[in-house]
Amino acid sequence: MALGSVAQAGTQPVETLPLQADGAGWLLPAGVHSGSFRIDQSMQLRCAEGAILDAGGEGHGLVIAAPKVRVEGCEVRNWGRNLTDMDSGIYLEKQATGAEVVGNRLRGPGFGIWLDGTLDVLLERNDIEGDLQTRSQDRGNGIQLFAVRGARVIDNRLRHVRDGIYIDTSSGNLMQGNLIEDVRYGIHYMFSHDNRVLNNLTRRTRTGYALMQSRQLTVIGNRSEFDQNYGILMNYITYSTLQDNLVSDVQQGTSGGGDGMIAGAEGKALFIYNSLFNRIENNRFQRSSLGIHLTAGSEDNQITGNAFIYNQQQVKYVATREQEWSRQGRGNYWSDYLGWDRDGDGLGDVAYEPNDNVDRLLWTYPQVRLLLNSPGVELLRWVQRAFPVVRAPGVRDSHPLMNAPAQAAAQVLP
């Protein structure tokens, strides 16, 4: 078996391993196999139970540098921790078009799986865990995509890494069914367009879904449970769809996630920052410190059919333009709505307006909360109701739903 030359210092050709013929591919027998290895020719490599690739704390564990390579069932551990050198458990070079990395176990301090400018790769059912002895900010990301197209990242489990899945300058990719726990950002997009994020689950992250500087994202059927600061963050996102997602129990952690991203993280189920022309429908945002916060010119978004349930504060909107959150006679469900439905059509007869001038006063001067139930504050609220001309522009849902939409209600956490 001739697999080509060794192009990277410190790596050995995979042919130096004691491979056994296995049908159309090769089988790596049980045992600890020390070193960094490289595949330079199309092949199928399967690892027997107990087969371990141990990189000895230096460089990559396994480099794939050929098209149509399949690596399945291997355990890779103890690769390098130099993030500048992109030390990874499995590193896929540009020529690794159509590679399949399936059912592997990776334990190490650097990046888990790195895709570098390649096409049409499948990453499926891999289990990736970072090094708990390393500070979280010094760990690599679980899966890193850079300048990648056509990748399918499906049903992987990632935990104790820096970011679960980081997508940079990559378009036309699918993230589906991944479980991500105890990381900084679960799924993190930067400068990436036309991607799909479907049916993933994040738990105990500092931001479940950090969608940043991207457009035409399709984010459907995902869950965020017990994340801190933000369940879903939209920062400079345009022409994207958020639908049928469930965000629950987001609470305040360290401000901005501890990394200075955006200050003032009150535990927001959905934070929309300088994002326009998005469709946000049939999602459920529940039991969080703040249901939805829009700021920095986040206007012209279509927000209908969502359920906002038992959040400590439902809406925070900081802008000077009126926002109508109903469309074609259908709005959103609000658990604190106090209106009525006399004709029984399932829509409230009076509009839902969550924020007034008193709310804005509290946002600007939090210490005013000490006077929240004082006669002076109650007088201000009465003046606003009696003289609507002094009401500041804000969110208005003219047709609030009397019941949570069926799609959102079906996703209630047990």
Side-chain angles (χ1 to χ4, degrees):
M1 175 177 57
L3 296 175
S5 62
V6 179
Q8 181 179 353
T11 61
Q12 308 171 48
V14 74
E15 65 181 334
T16 63
L17 291 168
L19 301 180
Q20 303 170 359
D22 180 37
W26 300 91
L27 176 69
L28 179 64
V32 177
H33 307 278
S34 299
S36 298
F37 299 93
R38 180 181 180 88
I39 299 175
D40 277 343
Q41 182 173 310
S42 301
M43 66 175 294
Q44 296 183 34
L45 173 64
R46 186 172 64 86
C47 291
E49 185 72 24
I52 298 171
L53 297 174
D54 190 320
E58 296 290 337
H60 304 312
L62 178 65
V63 177
I64 301 176
K68 298 182 179 179
V69 171
R70 181 180 176 93
V71 176
E72 182 175 2
C74 298
E75 180 171 341
V76 185
R77 69 185 187 191
N78 196 27
W79 59 88
R81 62 178 64 246
N82 190 321
L83 303 186
T84 302
D85 291 342
M86 302 176 291
D87 287 349
S88 307
I90 300 178
Y91 187 90
L92 287 83
E93 295 185 352
K94 185 174 182 178
Q95 54 268 44
T97 301
E100 298 180 353
V101 180
V102 178
N104 302 283
R105 300 173 300 282
L106 293 87
R107 304 287 184 272
F111 297 93
I113 301 176
W114 182 294
L115 277 60
D116 191 2
T118 191
L119 302 175
D120 302 325
V121 169
L122 171 65
L123 306 181
E124 185 175 18
R125 292 185 285 105
N126 300 287
D127 189 307
I128 302 173
E129 184 171 12
D131 180 9
L132 284 172
Q133 304 305 313
T134 302
R135 295 189 310 167
S136 61
Q137 59 264 45
D138 295 330
R139 302 171 195 163
N141 301 319
I143 294 174
Q144 176 101 15
L145 280 66
F146 176 72
V148 170
R149 290 192 63 88
R152 292 165 293 151
V153 181
I154 300 172
D155 293 339
N156 301 281
R157 184 184 182 194
L158 307 107
R159 58 196 183 280
H160 302 137
V161 293
R162 183 172 60 187
D163 290 356
I165 305 174
Y166 186 97
I167 305 99
D168 183 8
T169 323
S170 298
S171 301
N173 303 292
L174 168 66
M175 311 293 131
Q176 181 172 340
N178 300 286
L179 170 60
I180 306 172
E181 300 173 298
D182 302 298
V183 302
R184 182 182 67 163
Y185 305 154
I187 295 180
H188 186 182
Y189 274 94
M190 290 293 295
F191 308 107
S192 298
H193 314 308
D194 189 26
N195 287 279
R196 291 179 293 158
V197 186
L198 309 178
N199 303 317
N200 301 280
L201 170 59
T202 64
R203 287 195 186 113
R204 300 180 302 275
T205 75
R206 279 180 277 169
T207 294
Y209 303 86
L211 314 177
M212 308 177 73
Q213 311 281 351
S214 303
R215 66 176 181 270
Q216 292 178 311
L217 301 181
T218 301
V219 184
I220 296 178
N222 302 282
R223 292 165 64 126
S224 160
E225 300 177 0
F226 301 100
D227 293 323
Q228 292 185 347
N229 298 319
Y230 311 102
I232 300 175
L233 164 65
M234 301 174 66
N235 182 15
Y236 290 85
I237 297 295
T238 56
Y239 302 105
S240 296
T241 297
L242 272 70
Q243 182 178 319
D244 297 328
N245 301 289
L246 169 61
V247 180
S248 181
D249 300 280
V250 183
Q251 302 301 322
Q252 181 173 1
T254 56
S255 180
D259 52 22
M261 181 175 58
I262 296 176
E266 291 97 338
K268 301 167 184 174
L270 175 61
F271 183 30
I272 305 177
Y273 184 92
N274 201 8
S275 297
L276 303 167
F277 312 121
N278 301 293
R279 186 164 60 90
I280 302 169
E281 295 181 342
N282 297 343
N283 303 284
R284 186 182 185 101
F285 305 106
Q286 67 181 24
R287 297 197 304 266
S288 298
S289 298
L290 178 55
I292 180 171
H293 180 188
L294 295 89
T295 190
S298 296
E299 300 169 347
D300 296 310
N301 296 295
Q302 180 179 315
I303 303 176
T304 59
N306 303 285
F308 296 87
I309 301 177
Y310 302 131
N311 300 295
Q312 294 177 26
Q313 182 181 347
Q314 299 280 47
V315 179
K316 183 174 181 179
Y317 171 69
V318 182
T320 59
R321 179 179 165 188
E322 184 87 14
Q323 291 287 299
E324 175 57 57
W325 283 5
S326 64
R327 184 171 181 265
Q328 296 179 347
R330 185 172 183 266
N332 304 272
Y333 174 77
W334 309 91
S335 61
D336 59 342
Y337 177 63
L338 299 178
W340 53 88
D341 177 18
R342 288 177 295 184
D343 57 6
D345 64 355
L347 303 173
D349 294 339
V350 295
Y352 177 82
E353 296 180 286
N355 301 142
D356 57 18
N357 283 325
V358 173
D359 294 317
R360 294 170 181 274
L361 184 66
L362 294 175
W363 299 340
T364 307
Y365 304 103
Q367 60 270 28
V368 174
R369 291 184 182 277
L370 297 173
L371 305 175
L372 192 58
N373 296 317
S374 68
V377 170
E378 290 301 316
L379 177 61
L380 285 176
R381 292 195 187 275
W382 179 84
V383 168
Q384 289 180 125
R385 291 192 298 269
F387 303 99
V389 70
V390 302
R391 183 176 62 85
V395 168
R396 178 184 177 90
D397 187 343
S398 297
H399 304 283
L401 306 178
M402 298 302 294
N403 298 291
Q407 278 186 303
Q411 300 184 74
V412 178
L413 288 173

